[in-house]
Amino acid sequence: MATHARPGPLPVPSPAPRPVPEMDLALVRERQARGVELIDLFAEARARLGGVAAVRLGGPHPTVLVTAPEAVQHVLALRPDLYVKRSHRARLLIGDGLLAATGDAWQRQRRLLQSQFTGRGMRRYEQRIDAAARTAAARWAAYARDGQVFDVGGEMRRFALDTIWRSLTGHPLDPGTERELAAVPAVVAALPGLPADGVAAQGAVAAELARIDALSHRAIAAARTAGAGPGGPGLLHVLLEAAETSPAYTDRLIRDELVTLLVAGHETTATTLTWLHLLLDRNPQARERALAAGAEGTPERRRAVQALVHETLRLYPSAWILPRHAAGDDVLAGYAIEAGTDVLVCPYLTHRDPGTWEDPDRFDPDRFLTPGRRPTRPGSYAPFGLGPRACLGLQFALRESTVLLEHLLPAHVPHFHSVPAGAAYGLTVRPDGPTPATLGAAPAGGRS
């Protein structure tokens, strides 16, 4: 007897993708005329329209702002082949270095450097990080003894530069090199205000770029002729070894990678540590809890100190905004994205979304220590980006920040004479002003 299968339910068609909701152009123009900061305009767009929103910023087509965690994950981690980098804001400084590279060149450069920032590769830099931290701690001890006023942000930059210079060359940062390297943060700080025209932008910082080029070429020549420094071979030697087998690694590309590592290796760490000290000034109980979590050198204290760093990165992520370009049509969180659309992923706003993070504007490191306190949705926390283009130096930055804080927090409390009024949104989110301070002794409980 023939049998007939009962027909199953018909598949439910997926809803057609919707157009991305767009902020009213008159409202955008009014905000721009009043001089509203771009980040505040973006925050208003997210509040009005949600985690995928379109804003016209002056071009013929709207830019799509992405802050919803699932959309952040989609753009950065799931479809990096579709949402691509076209350029980099710091290209006139870093040239064809890893941050600006694309395509096959990026894959080749990433592959070479990635091994240096994994667990095994990191071990060769542990002693250099610790030496730089001890040098910084000795300076702070002298500041405390003499009652000297110093700039906390400047000190964090000095430590981060010393760390990355030791890691690049095997040598500690000497005063002459430190003076020359001041050109790097000078160009980074100037980037947001440079002319759009490439030639004019280059001319505006020509003197600083010439100093950076001269220093880079001296470092390359010294690494070739003198070999490794007292700390052993560094990242610069890795690049020179690559040049022996790969014609792509010309002196120009080695210079670009050297400057890229200098920028990425000090700017983000220095900024994060400066914010952390300012946040602890407003929240001294967080510092006390971290030190009370365990004795010096214990895993408990280290986890608590790392939580201070993670919470600072939540509020002030190193990769606060990530430009991408849609190379093809897509559907993003139910919205239609046309090929050619410029997309801005903004972890800064994702991390401050009350729908994602509880009480998001409060500094609360405990959310990184207590299970269930932080969101688990992919894309919720991305201070260094996500996916294949996430920052290579994440573990390096966390390690150097933690090591320095383990030296400083038990011994000193900065007393700020003044604090910056706000933040400056450029290559990083940095305090918008100086951070003069003197040092007081830490409570005895933190020294155990």
Side-chain angles (χ1 to χ4, degrees), residues 319-346:
W320 76 275
I321 197 156
L322 297 162
R324 294 292 187 267
H325 183 77
D329 294 342
D330 192 31
V331 178
L332 176 61
Y335 296 106
I337 303 293
E338 293 182 3
T341 300
D342 288 325
V343 174
L344 290 175
V345 177
C346 188

Side-chain angles (χ1 to χ4, degrees), residues 129-148 150 155-156 158-159 162 166 403-404 406-409 411-412 439:
I129 291 172
D130 192 59
R134 290 182 184 279
T135 300
R139 286 197 302 269
W140 279 47
Y143 297 152
R145 184 179 60 248
D146 300 339
Q148 182 176 339
F150 69 102
E155 267 297 303
M156 296 302 96
R158 191 177 184 185
F159 159 72
D162 187 20
R166 290 172 189 261
V403 169
L404 179 67
E406 287 177 328
H407 281 284
L408 299 185
L409 293 185
H412 308 290
L439 292 174

Side-chain angles (χ1 to χ4, degrees), residues 24 36 39 56-57 63 83 87 93 131 155 170 222 231 234 244 271 289 318-319 355 371 388 427-428:
D24 181 72
V36 169
I39 189 63
R56 290 183 185 266
L57 299 174
T63 295
Y83 295 94
S87 185
L93 173 62
E155 267 297 303
E244 295 175 5
T271 302
R289 282 199 298 270
S318 297
L427 197 62
T428 58

Side-chain angles (χ1 to χ4, degrees), residues 105-266:
W106 171 78
Q107 291 183 350
R108 179 177 57 249
Q109 292 166 233
R110 173 104 181 178
R111 193 162 48 245
L112 175 67
L113 292 175
Q114 191 156 16
S115 63
Q116 303 299 308
F117 294 100
T118 57
R120 179 182 297 178
M122 275 293 298
R123 282 197 285 276
R124 77 175 65 182
Y125 304 112
E126 291 282 351
Q127 290 185 340
R128 302 176 202 206
I129 291 172
D130 192 59
R134 290 182 184 279
T135 300
R139 286 197 302 269
W140 279 47
Y143 297 152
R145 184 179 60 248
D146 300 339
Q148 182 176 339
V149 179
F150 69 102
D151 188 83
V152 171
E155 267 297 303
M156 296 302 96
R157 189 177 301 280
R158 191 177 184 185
F159 159 72
L161 272 174
D162 187 20
T163 304
I164 192 61
W165 191 252
R166 290 172 189 261
S167 301
L168 283 165
T169 67
H171 294 275
L173 185 67
D174 62 87
T177 300
E178 184 180 355
R179 284 192 296 272
E180 290 301 301
L181 284 176
V184 174
V187 175
V188 170
L191 286 173
L194 291 179
D197 176 73
V199 175
Q202 196 97 9
V205 289
E208 290 82 2
L209 291 175
R211 286 170 59 194
I212 293 166
D213 284 347
L215 176 64
S216 300
H217 292 307
R218 285 199 302 272
I220 293 168
R224 276 203 177 104
T225 58
L235 285 162
L236 184 51
H237 297 88
V238 172
L239 295 170
L240 290 172
E241 287 175 9
E244 295 175 5
T245 56
S246 173
Y249 280 88
T250 62
D251 274 13
R252 181 64 198 184
L253 180 57
I254 293 172
R255 174 266 178 213
D256 291 348
E257 290 288 47
L258 173 62
V259 176
T260 296
L261 291 164
L262 276 170
V263 172
H266 96 274

Side-chain angles (χ1 to χ4, degrees), residues 273-327:
L273 286 168
T274 305
W275 280 121
L276 193 151
H277 285 296
L278 290 167
L279 289 165
L280 290 181
D281 183 60
R282 297 199 295 266
N283 303 274
Q285 71 285 353
R287 177 191 168 282
E288 294 163 10
R289 282 199 298 270
L291 295 177
E296 181 180 350
T298 60
E300 291 80 12
R301 179 178 286 191
R302 174 154 292 184
R303 282 195 296 271
V305 171
Q306 287 173 340
L308 296 176
V309 178
H310 278 298
E311 178 68 348
T312 302
L313 285 166
R314 184 186 67 81
L315 289 169
Y316 300 102
S318 297
W320 76 275
I321 197 156
L322 297 162
R324 294 292 187 267
H325 183 77

